[in-house]
Amino acid sequence: MNPIDQAISFYKEEVEAADLYTYLAKVEKNPQTKSNFEALAKLEKAHAKFWHQFLKDRNIEIPKEKSRKLRLFTYKILRTLLGSKLFVTILEMNETTSTESYYRYFNEASLTEEEKLILSKIIEDELEHEKMFSRQKDKFSIENIRDFILGMNDGLVEILGTVTGLSAVYPKSPITVGTAGLVVGVAGALSMAIGAYTSVRSQRQVNEGIKKKMELLFRVSKDRAKEEFLNKLSESGIPEDIGREIVNKLSDNEDAMTNLLTEEISENEIKSALYTGIAYLVGLVFPVLPYFIITSSSLVALAFSVIFAAIALSIVGIIVSVASESLSIKGKVLEMVATGLGAAVLSYLFGTLVQKVFGISA
């Protein structure tokens, strides 16, 4: 893209961003977040004004503004579906991309000294945007996105594999396949929920045990407690001389030492279990549903089951990619779909083998 076309693109992006933040400020109920969005809208309008003047000074026709109602509506739906935490992550990723593009333009394009000064200030603003989103993201209360994603993914892949294998065994009985998949799915959901509950609770109990041990050591022998702390620092890869310096500076701060030795568990085990179990049930719906709709052939139902599962796996892949802030969306989606459908293919082959070996027909 040549410098002029890129400047036009920057102008459009800033205008769209200003509209987005203005809209978000209107619908936001939290006063602090509302104020942040209003401040961002004001900044983005100033940035758009710079690019407008930049293009005007070079006698470039300013693009006519198009209606952005559909885009704003899409963002509204995204925020509702993904929740505030993931939505803010998307905005943060956009700001990171803008910052990198502006920095390249600052170094490569032909700019006046005044334009360089203003653009450097714009880059500073964009970096501040990233910080604001990072702070805002940390405040949101959605702590079980990971549980939901993992639970839904497991439900999709495991039950798709189940119904695929059973379709080879019972090609003419979709209801049998669907019912079996549903029974296996409910049992799997209960198992996953119990596993999530046990995992979070066990980690909390381990941390409580470490804290009690450190408290006891401090009461009995402060020197022994400091030695224990030094050993933990060494195990984590911190050089001994630096570790001893840390221990000496924290020698009288029992709470600080204990907190550094334990990982704070903010998750609620009951909530984690519910998210995981419900997500598993949501995941099983996609591969199982066609077997209750198409009652003539399990293989026909299987085709729709694979399509539904692929769509659902793609959605999960997008969410995982966005949540990670670093993974390629395309790569993650391909990985999720390939592994899920690969498991289905292997299950079908195994089901066919079982049918041949045991002579099952239905």
Side-chain angles (χ1 to χ4, degrees), residues 103-232:
Y103 184 70
R104 285 195 299 268
Y105 200 84
F106 179 85
N107 289 320
E108 298 170 5
S110 176
L111 304 169
T112 66
E113 288 302 317
E114 183 181 359
E115 288 171 342
K116 282 188 174 182
L117 185 63
I118 297 173
L119 185 53
S120 66
K121 180 63 173 64
I122 290 175
I123 293 173
E124 287 182 30
D125 290 340
E126 298 295 341
L127 290 170
E128 284 300 314
H129 292 184
E130 292 179 41
K131 287 183 182 179
M132 188 279 287
F133 284 130
S134 295
R135 291 192 298 268
Q136 191 66 42
K137 184 175 62 175
D138 292 339
K139 293 178 182 178
F140 291 123
S141 59
I142 301 178
E143 301 170 346
N144 298 96
I145 290 176
R146 179 201 63 205
D147 297 319
F148 192 88
I149 290 172
L150 292 177
M152 183 175 175
N153 181 64
D154 285 345
L156 274 165
V157 175
E158 290 176 18
I159 303 307
L160 177 62
T162 300
V163 297
T164 302
L166 290 172
S167 294
V169 179
Y170 301 104
K172 297 179 182 179
S173 183
I175 294 295
T176 300
V177 175
T179 303
L182 192 60
V183 171
V184 172
V186 172
L190 291 172
S191 175
M192 289 288 291
I194 293 169
Y197 177 88
T198 303
S199 175
V200 175
R201 186 171 179 79
S202 297
Q203 187 59 55
R204 192 191 307 282
Q205 290 171 337
V206 168
N207 285 349
E208 289 172 355
I210 294 174
K211 286 182 178 181
K212 288 179 180 178
K213 178 183 176 182
M214 289 301 295
E215 288 172 1
L216 181 60
L217 276 175
F218 262 96
R219 291 191 184 99
V220 175
S221 172
K222 186 176 288 188
D223 290 337
R224 182 68 186 86
K226 288 194 289 185
E227 194 64 30
E228 180 78 12
F229 182 55
L230 179 59
N231 290 338
K232 293 292 184 181

Side-chain angles (χ1 to χ4, degrees), residues 69-121:
K69 290 182 179 180
L70 179 59
R71 180 182 289 269
L72 294 176
F73 179 75
T74 302
Y75 273 110
K76 181 179 179 181
I77 297 298
L78 274 175
R79 190 177 189 194
T80 302
L81 292 177
L82 300 181
S84 296
K85 188 171 184 178
L86 276 181
F87 182 74
V88 167
T89 301
I90 293 175
L91 297 182
E92 184 184 1
M93 290 172 67
N94 289 339
E95 293 297 335
T96 302
T97 303
S98 298
T99 304
E100 293 171 353
S101 299
Y102 282 158
Y103 184 70
R104 285 195 299 268
Y105 200 84
F106 179 85
N107 289 320
E108 298 170 5
S110 176
L111 304 169
T112 66
E113 288 302 317
E114 183 181 359
E115 288 171 342
K116 282 188 174 182
L117 185 63
I118 297 173
L119 185 53
S120 66
K121 180 63 173 64

Side-chain angles (χ1 to χ4, degrees), residues 189-322:
L190 291 172
S191 175
M192 289 288 291
I194 293 169
Y197 177 88
T198 303
S199 175
V200 175
R201 186 171 179 79
S202 297
Q203 187 59 55
R204 192 191 307 282
Q205 290 171 337
V206 168
N207 285 349
E208 289 172 355
I210 294 174
K211 286 182 178 181
K212 288 179 180 178
K213 178 183 176 182
M214 289 301 295
E215 288 172 1
L216 181 60
L217 276 175
F218 262 96
R219 291 191 184 99
V220 175
S221 172
K222 186 176 288 188
D223 290 337
R224 182 68 186 86
K226 288 194 289 185
E227 194 64 30
E228 180 78 12
F229 182 55
L230 179 59
N231 290 338
K232 293 292 184 181
L233 292 177
S234 298
E235 289 173 6
S236 66
I238 296 176
E240 186 175 346
D241 57 335
I242 296 176
R244 288 195 179 281
E245 185 178 347
I246 293 172
V247 170
N248 289 333
K249 288 184 177 180
L250 296 177
S251 59
D252 295 321
N253 195 330
E254 177 186 342
D255 290 338
M257 285 190 185
T258 304
N259 290 335
L260 286 170
L261 285 174
T262 58
E263 179 185 354
E264 183 181 356
I265 304 298
S266 60
E267 273 188 284
N268 179 287
E269 50 265 43
I270 296 176
K271 186 186 289 188
S272 180
L274 287 173
Y275 267 80
T276 304
I278 292 172
Y280 193 100
L281 293 174
V282 171
L284 77 84
V285 168
F286 294 93
V288 165
L289 185 61
Y291 291 90
F292 293 99
I293 298 175
I294 301 169
T295 57
S296 57
S297 169
S298 294
L299 298 181
V300 175
L302 174 61
F304 284 95
S305 178
V306 168
I307 293 171
F308 290 171
I311 293 172
L313 284 167
S314 298
I315 294 171
V316 172
I318 292 171
I319 295 174
V320 170
S321 179
V322 170

